[in-house]
Amino acid sequence: KTTEDDVNILLAVYRVPEKGVDLVLTMNIPSQGSDIAESQRQLSEAKGVFDVAVKSLVIVNYDLFA
């Protein structure tokens, strides 16, 4: 591919002080080029999904962190 893509990146960082690590959750949303209205609609929808993921993330097994 020879053209650049615009991508929106959503990022959440969770501190896990008990293990001395940070957990990062990201979501990449590609832009739909010249269709600005469609890109904004998709970004808004993705933000809603991301918000649910951010609020519902639960660490079940802390042993995954060394």
Side-chain angles (χ1 to χ4, degrees):
K1 189 172 182 175
T2 59
T3 60
E4 295 180 3
D5 292 327
D6 289 329
V7 178
N8 292 287
I9 300 173
L10 305 177
L11 172 79
V13 179
Y14 301 86
R15 296 258 165 183
V16 186
E18 302 85 8
K19 295 293 182 173
V21 298
D22 294 334
L23 177 66
V24 178
L25 176 64
T26 63
M27 178 185 278
N28 301 332
I29 304 98
S31 177
Q32 296 300 314
S34 61
D35 191 346
I36 295 172
E38 180 63 16
S39 291
Q40 289 299 321
R41 186 196 64 75
Q42 289 183 349
L43 179 58
S44 179
E45 183 178 322
K47 284 180 178 179
V49 171
F50 187 74
D51 190 49
V52 170
V54 165
K55 291 178 180 176
S56 64
L57 183 86
V58 175
I59 300 172
V60 177
N61 184 354
Y62 279 85
D63 291 334
L64 295 172
F65 305 97

